[in-house]
Amino acid sequence: MKQKYMQTSLEKKIRARAKRDLFYICVIVLILSCLSLIAKVDLFEQLYFFSRQHEHWEMDEITVVVFWFGLGGVFYAYRRMQDLRDLIYEVSDKAFFDQVSQLPNRVYSLECLTQMLHRAERLGRQVAVIFIDLDNFKMVNDTYGHAKGDLLLQVFGERLRYSIRKSDIVGRLSGDEYLILLELADEDELAPILERIKSLQEESYRLDENNLVLRFSAGVAIYPYDGYTATDLLKASDIAMYHSKVTKKGQIEFYTSSMAEMLYARYQLESDLKTALQNKAFHMEYQPQLSLESDQIIGYEALIRWELKGKQIPTAQLIQIAEDTGHIEEIGLWVLSQALEDAQSFLQADQTLGVNITSRHFWMSDFVCQIQRALSVHEFPPHRLVLELTESALVSDIFDDIRQKLMALRALGVNVAIDDFGIGYSCLGRLKDLPISCLKIDQIFTHALVDSERDRYVISTLINMAKHLNLSILAEGVESKEQLAMLYQIGCNMAQGYYIGKPESLATLVDRMKSSSGL
């Protein structure tokens, strides 16, 4: 449902000028009529005498023709004015409204915001600007196509519209970005509206027999505290939204001045990442994995490292920035290729290589082809590669697509492990239907293993479940002899952590191999 149309500044000027022109014409006609009365102009009598003197001219017929032409001219002018009005409405619709969602576009939204600010300044009110950005919407377009993606954007816009008051404005800025404008007579009006908007994240959308849930990040800026102009408030709400996206709390964030400083640092880091990508300024480290049954190193996990200005950038932060900037596929392919190349220098014939895959990379339509191509280029045996996916990769609504990709990987001979298992929201019922070979228990449980009976019970339960599903269990974060002994006692298959071995560079691993072989 299209929102009520609000006149733009140009339209208001044109209408005001038309009213002035009409007023001036009425005044001029009135003045001329008065002058005619004063001058006692006998126009009708003159016309009467003229027509009597020229009866052979057929003045009656001429007058009738002129009258009918005049009436026809008036009707023609009225119809053309109607056509012009319809044309103006059509042009305004295309210029000011988004053609997918039928919501005000960026230009018209900012025009509405400017008018709201003028009104708020005059009446002493507040204006709230809410910037909303859908999370991971590119995955929807890649999977279902842009046509159905547009339909989803339209439905989401309608739900936004019905979650606010009739006097408020919802606009679509571009892509998956929306803007909500609220006029507030009282600050207490804002909280219930934000709650209704936030609750939209719990509603599902039906698309191709799948139920999708759209998550979004949102930021709020309020006039006059966070800015006085439409541009300043839009920028402030955008910064708050970005902060919400980075923190991943699913909350609606209010703008603060400190957010701008964090955003600047983030932009600088994104710029540095782009430079690092161009120069391939990353390096790999490899952490050993121990079999608790044979007490032998059975594999290594490949870990990307990025050192910037002498400081190690946390891997989680690197991955997050790469996903937000769209570079995750490029980085993921580099990690896979580099790990497969390095492994040929230190990996023994009975050992496996674990490579982490992010959800965004896994959802790429040609992901399986990328894996197959990398294995072929480096002539690496597929059965020795273990792709480690986080639980978030499995909680997507596109379960059939996930299963098909995992089955294709299994057909290649590649093994798949679920990383950080136990802290996500994956459905245990799905695990039995997916070709997975290993569950990696998150280090949170391992760290509390010795002192917490509850965590021991959790790990023990996971191990029993894994045995029934023919899955192996690897515990992450082992940092003590006591932890390792207890994991062996409750039947854990494998372990990984600083007690077993810290991540090491390729050069260190190669030197150790040479030393152990006596070279």
Side-chain angles (χ1 to χ4, degrees):
M1 181 181 67
K2 186 175 290 187
Q3 300 170 81
K4 184 180 178 181
Y5 181 70
M6 182 182 295
Q7 295 179 20
T8 64
S9 299
L10 179 59
E11 286 181 283
K12 288 184 175 181
K13 291 180 180 179
I14 293 175
R15 289 177 181 270
R17 186 167 59 190
K19 290 179 180 179
R20 286 197 306 269
D21 291 346
L22 180 60
F23 173 75
Y24 293 149
I25 290 173
C26 291
V27 170
I28 292 173
V29 169
L30 184 60
I31 291 174
L32 292 176
S33 299
C34 291
L35 291 176
S36 299
L37 290 174
I38 294 173
K40 297 181 179 180
V41 176
D42 297 330
L43 180 60
F44 182 76
E45 292 182 1
Q46 295 295 329
L47 287 174
Y48 174 75
F49 288 129
F50 182 82
S51 63
R52 302 302 291 177
Q53 293 172 1
H54 302 82
E55 289 185 358
H56 60 284
W57 284 13
E58 299 182 352
M59 292 298 296
D60 292 338
E61 290 76 4
I62 294 176
T63 303
V64 170
V65 170
V66 171
F67 172 77
W68 288 121
F69 266 109
L71 188 61
V74 171
F75 178 76
Y76 181 82
Y78 173 75
R79 293 292 297 173
R80 298 294 71 77
M81 290 297 294
Q82 283 187 320
D83 293 341
L84 183 60
R85 183 193 60 185
D86 294 341
L87 180 61
I88 290 174
Y89 282 156
E90 183 179 350
V91 171
S92 298
D93 180 75
K94 294 184 182 300
F96 300 129
F97 286 88
D98 173 60
Q99 299 304 300
V100 172
S101 63
Q102 298 303 311
L103 296 173
N105 60 15
R106 174 182 288 270
V107 174
Y108 188 41
S109 296
L110 292 179
E111 175 69 29
C112 294
L113 177 55
T114 299
Q115 294 186 32
M116 283 184 173
L117 295 177
H118 291 329
R119 190 160 49 246
E121 181 181 9
R122 187 172 65 254
L123 301 176
R125 295 182 176 181
Q126 298 178 2
V127 176
V129 180
I130 307 174
F131 197 115
I132 295 178
D133 181 83
L134 299 178
D135 297 333
N136 299 324
F137 192 78
K138 184 177 183 298
M139 181 266 295
V140 176
N141 282 333
D142 291 343
T143 304
Y144 294 98
H146 287 272
K148 293 183 178 178
D150 288 346
L151 179 61
L152 198 59
L153 291 174
Q154 180 182 356
V155 175
F156 179 74
E158 291 175 354
R159 294 189 182 183
L160 275 181
R161 186 71 195 92
Y162 286 116
S163 68
I164 62 175
R165 304 166 303 186
K166 290 184 179 180
S167 59
D168 300 326
I169 300 292
V170 177
R172 181 180 177 222
L173 299 182
S174 63
D176 55 3
E177 296 177 344
Y178 294 82
L179 191 69
I180 300 178
L181 309 177
L182 312 173
E183 287 191 78
L184 305 173
D186 190 339
E187 290 184 3
D188 296 335
E189 297 176 356
L190 182 58
I193 298 176
L194 293 181
E195 283 300 320
R196 290 197 298 271
I197 294 173
K198 185 179 177 182
S199 67
L200 294 179
Q201 297 184 95
E202 307 304 323
E203 298 181 6
S204 61
Y205 301 79
R206 192 70 174 172
L207 203 62
D208 279 0
E209 306 302 324
N210 290 315
N211 289 321
L212 276 69
V213 176
L214 290 181
R215 304 291 181 182
F216 55 79
S217 304
V220 183
I222 299 179
Y223 166 87
Y225 309 116
D226 303 323
Y228 294 98
T229 67
T231 302
D232 291 341
L233 289 168
L234 183 64
K235 180 180 178 181
S237 61
D238 189 8
I239 291 174
M241 179 279 298
Y242 193 80
H243 186 267
S244 172
K245 187 176 289 290
V246 170
T247 55
K248 292 293 183 183
K249 295 180 180 179
Q251 302 294 323
I252 299 178
E253 297 281 347
F254 284 82
Y255 172 78
T256 62
S257 57
S258 61
M259 290 180 179
E261 299 175 2
M262 294 175 58
L263 183 63
Y264 176 77
R266 172 67 178 235
Y267 282 156
Q268 185 60 49
L269 205 56
E270 290 179 0
S271 178
D272 292 334
L273 175 62
K274 186 176 180 180
T275 303
L277 274 170
Q278 294 173 348
N279 300 331
K280 295 296 184 289
F282 309 109
H283 67 277
M284 300 297 298
E285 291 184 351
Y286 301 89
Q287 187 172 27
Q289 298 171 334
L290 178 71
S291 170
L292 300 186
E293 300 171 355
S294 64
D295 198 31
Q296 298 292 322
I297 300 298
I298 59 170
Y300 291 84
E301 179 183 0
L303 302 168
I304 185 174
R305 296 291 185 254
W306 181 26
E307 187 173 312
L308 180 64
K309 300 176 182 178
K311 180 181 178 182
Q312 189 86 356
I313 303 299
T315 303
Q317 186 177 12
L318 164 62
I319 298 302
Q320 182 61 58
I321 296 174
E323 288 185 343
D324 294 342
T325 56
H327 295 306
I328 189 61
E329 181 180 6
E330 184 177 356
I331 290 180
L333 288 175
W334 181 86
V335 168
L336 177 63
S337 178
Q338 192 65 44
L340 294 179
E341 180 180 339
D342 292 348
Q344 299 179 27
S345 302
F346 70 88
L347 201 67
Q348 298 180 16
D350 57 346
Q351 294 176 339
T352 61
L353 176 67
V355 178
N356 290 282
I357 301 296
T358 67
S359 301
R360 293 281 292 273
H361 191 188
F362 178 72
W363 288 333
M364 297 289 180
S365 58
D366 61 340
F367 172 74
V368 177
C369 293
Q370 293 178 2
I371 300 299
Q372 186 176 15
R373 190 159 46 245
L375 290 170
S376 175
V377 169
H378 296 282
E379 298 181 352
F380 192 87
H383 68 277
R384 296 174 60 192
L385 175 63
V386 180
L387 297 180
E388 299 185 5
L389 300 172
T390 58
E391 284 186 271
S392 59
L394 303 182
V395 298
S396 169
D397 301 296
I398 317 170
F399 183 68
D400 290 338
D401 182 65
I402 293 173
R403 181 167 53 189
Q404 289 175 8
K405 286 181 178 177
L406 292 179
M407 291 178 65
L409 291 172
R410 174 56 63 88
L412 288 177
V414 176
N415 295 299
V416 176
I418 304 303
D419 198 11
D420 301 330
F421 188 78
I423 63 171
Y425 304 95
S426 63
C427 176
L428 295 178
R430 288 187 169 187
L431 292 179
K432 64 182 178 61
D433 298 323
L434 297 176
I436 297 169
S437 58
C438 177
L439 299 179
K440 298 186 69 175
I441 300 175
D442 189 80
Q443 58 184 354
I444 292 178
F445 300 105
T446 306
H447 291 168
L449 185 62
V450 177
D451 302 322
S452 172
E453 184 177 350
R454 175 178 294 180
D455 286 280
R456 285 198 298 274
Y457 178 75
V458 169
I459 295 181
S460 185
T461 302
L462 289 176
I463 291 174
N464 290 329
M465 179 196 70
K467 288 181 178 178
H468 286 90
L469 295 177
N470 294 321
L471 302 176
S472 58
I473 288 283
L474 185 151
E476 297 180 293
V478 178
E479 297 180 353
S480 69
K481 182 178 180 181
E482 292 77 13
Q483 292 174 349
L484 189 63
M486 193 162 291
L487 287 170
Y488 177 77
Q489 182 181 351
I490 61 179
C492 186
N493 306 112
M494 299 170 287
Q496 175 181 342
Y498 280 13
Y499 179 75
I500 298 169
K502 294 182 179 181
E504 295 179 322
S505 66
L506 173 63
T508 302
L509 289 173
V510 172
D511 289 343
R512 181 176 291 115
M513 282 190 61
K514 290 180 179 179
S515 299
S516 62
S517 61
L519 297 177

